[in-house]
Amino acid sequence: MIGTKRVRFQPTAEGASVTQLELFFDLVLVFAFTMVTGLVAEEPSAKNMLRALLVLAVMWWLWIAYSWLGNVVRADEGIARIAMFVAMGGGFLAALTIPEAFDDLPGGWFGPLVFAIAYLIVRLVHVGMFWLASAEDSRLRNQVLRWALGSISIGTTLLVIAAMTSGVVQIALWIAAVAGDYLWTLFAGTDWRLNSARHFVERYGLIIIVALGESIVSIGIGVAGLPISWPIVLGSMLGLAISGLLWWAYFDVAALSVEHELVRAEGTRQIKIATGSYTFWHFPMIVGIIALSLGLKKVLYYVGDSSHHTLQDALYGIPLYALYGGVALYLIALVGFKHYATGAVTVPRVVAAAVLLALIPLACALPALASLSLLCVLLIGLIAWETVRFAQPRDEIRHAAAD
């Protein structure tokens, strides 16, 4: 064990599964995703889209930090359990403050600073836990120290400074904080530890499900309080089908292919796959799903609220770009996710993403429900083509996983 007598850590064993406490921790991200979607839905503008992207990047970095920690020590044992609850508190406070992360609302505490300090607390708890957990592993401790010196000083410090500014300067500081944190992590070294490939893969698969759950929640929010009708039923089923097809695109083959590579890899190669395919390439997947959530929310509002819209009204502007662009981004991220680990490029998905972007002008001229239907049909065509065209390798990968 790692420092059992002093801090009562229990290392994560090879083949371990995600703990119940980690699933509980993810509820903070569920709420954060909802708040990010709401931030743009209230006022769909380019400025708010950029703000939402930056907030999402910060909350993602909060989550991935604990995905790595939970792979070194069990999250539900000893002092790690207390640390997880403290981190949940800080993360939840940050999520609560998302509407005020850039502009303070009248009354109460100063929102931007509360967000920055809450985030700082979560990051400090994470670094402290990793420092203690690496007491008997000098290489890991040096990695933690090397990473923390840059990550904490760049990411969190700039966010605190940004809280005291506004306008272009504030946005620039946020961008610098996010970019600096990500780049520092990319070049800070590969001496991290991965105790359980199974735990790691499961952890990231579950966060994809959490994000897809937000897309389903957005459907419900879009028609909340409206009487049920056939447009609402049809729009809801189309939205659910799109979310299900995105689930299929990830879990049917892509996730299994990368998992096999991660399990087979050793040493630095394994850490690079974990960092590249999961920590970095999963972020644009999450962004794509949250963008889709915004589009679905607006479509359902269009088709359900007859007092403000008719069924002939077209979805346009940022909500439509989010609907189609979000799915295109998700598909491209899936291609990158798989390519980084296996070297293979899934060409049909690249083509599908390009077709989606090319169809945006047409979708702007169609009724909102028709645009949603077109998106669903294209995804059905992609999944059907892949299932039939690559039947044999798909079968081999899935049976290999079963064996």
Side-chain angles (χ1 to χ4, degrees):
M1 287 191 177
I2 302 177
T4 305
K5 293 183 179 179
R6 289 180 294 161
V7 293
R8 295 186 302 156
F9 282 133
Q10 180 176 329
T12 300
E14 183 179 355
S17 298
V18 175
T19 65
Q20 296 297 317
L21 182 54
E22 287 172 295
L23 296 177
F24 188 42
F25 181 87
D26 288 353
L27 295 179
V28 172
L29 265 292
V30 173
F31 179 62
F33 290 161
T34 301
M35 296 295 283
V36 169
T37 304
L39 180 65
V40 185
E42 185 175 346
E43 184 186 341
S45 64
K47 178 181 179 180
N48 268 353
M49 284 289 286
L50 177 57
R51 285 179 166 184
L53 177 62
L54 292 171
V55 170
L56 189 58
V58 167
M59 296 305 294
W60 173 252
W61 216 237
L62 178 154
W63 182 86
I64 66 100
Y66 286 85
S67 72
W68 282 86
L69 178 63
N71 202 268
V72 174
V73 294
R74 282 187 61 90
D76 59 351
E77 293 290 342
I79 194 174
R81 177 184 292 190
I82 305 302
M84 289 293 287
F85 278 114
V86 174
M88 280 187 68
F92 190 57
L93 180 57
L96 281 172
T97 321
I98 284 175
E100 297 184 79
F102 295 90
D103 295 322
D104 183 47
L105 297 178
W109 292 348
F110 186 65
L113 188 58
V114 171
F115 180 92
I117 292 176
Y119 179 65
L120 174 61
I121 291 171
V122 178
R123 294 294 300 276
L124 289 176
V125 170
H126 168 258
V127 170
M129 287 297 297
F130 245 124
W131 179 261
L132 293 174
S134 62
E136 299 178 9
D137 187 338
S138 59
R139 286 186 62 187
L140 178 58
R141 172 155 287 191
N142 288 335
Q143 173 68 68
V144 171
L145 179 61
R146 189 165 57 245
W147 174 78
L149 286 176
S151 182
I152 298 298
S153 62
I154 296 174
T156 56
T157 302
L158 288 178
L159 284 184
V160 172
I161 297 173
M164 307 302 181
T165 63
S166 61
V168 175
V169 173
Q170 184 185 57
I171 292 294
L173 286 170
W174 268 77
I175 293 174
V178 171
D181 216 347
Y182 279 45
L183 290 173
W184 185 269
T185 298
L186 189 62
F187 296 110
T190 56
D191 288 333
W192 297 104
R193 296 291 177 266
L194 203 66
N195 288 358
S196 172
R198 175 186 175 187
H199 172 277
F200 203 75
V201 169
E202 184 180 358
R203 197 82 181 89
Y204 282 78
L206 288 171
I207 204 64
I208 291 295
I209 292 178
V210 165
L212 289 172
E214 165 59 20
S215 69
I216 295 173
V217 169
S218 294
I219 296 172
I221 293 176
V223 296
L226 299 176
I228 195 69
S229 62
W230 75 261
I232 288 179
V233 170
L234 179 57
S236 299
M237 292 301 101
L238 287 170
L240 182 61
I242 290 169
S243 296
L245 290 163
L246 296 189
W247 175 93
W248 187 306
Y250 180 90
F251 288 99
D252 187 56
V253 170
L256 296 176
S257 299
V258 178
E259 179 181 357
H260 294 167
E261 293 296 324
L262 184 68
V263 170
R264 284 196 293 263
E266 296 179 350
T268 300
R269 171 62 179 162
Q270 188 179 56
I271 297 302
K272 285 184 175 180
I273 293 175
T275 303
S277 290
Y278 290 92
T279 296
F280 285 104
W281 272 114
H282 271 64
F283 178 59
M285 289 186 216
I286 299 297
V287 174
I289 295 172
I290 299 304
L292 168 67
S293 301
L294 170 64
L296 289 176
K297 184 176 182 179
K298 289 297 184 180
V299 169
L300 267 295
Y301 176 71
Y302 268 47
V303 303
D305 187 8
S306 58
S307 62
H308 293 86
H309 298 281
T310 71
L311 292 179
Q312 301 305 313
D313 287 347
L315 189 69
Y316 61 91
I318 286 177
L320 179 66
Y321 303 148
L323 184 68
Y324 275 65
V327 174
L329 177 61
Y330 179 84
L331 292 176
I332 291 298
L334 272 174
V335 173
F337 162 65
K338 184 178 178 181
H339 176 264
Y340 191 92
T342 68
V345 176
T346 313
V347 176
R349 298 187 176 188
V350 177
V351 173
V355 170
L356 277 172
L357 296 178
L359 285 175
I360 289 178
L362 172 61
C364 287
L366 295 175
L369 200 54
S371 296
L372 187 63
S373 301
L374 180 61
L375 174 59
C376 187
V377 167
L378 191 145
L379 286 175
I380 290 173
L382 171 65
I383 297 301
W385 168 262
E386 290 183 343
T387 302
V388 174
R389 178 66 179 80
F390 305 110
Q392 183 175 346
R394 173 179 178 270
D395 189 59
E396 290 173 354
I397 291 172
R398 293 184 61 79
H399 279 125
D403 295 340

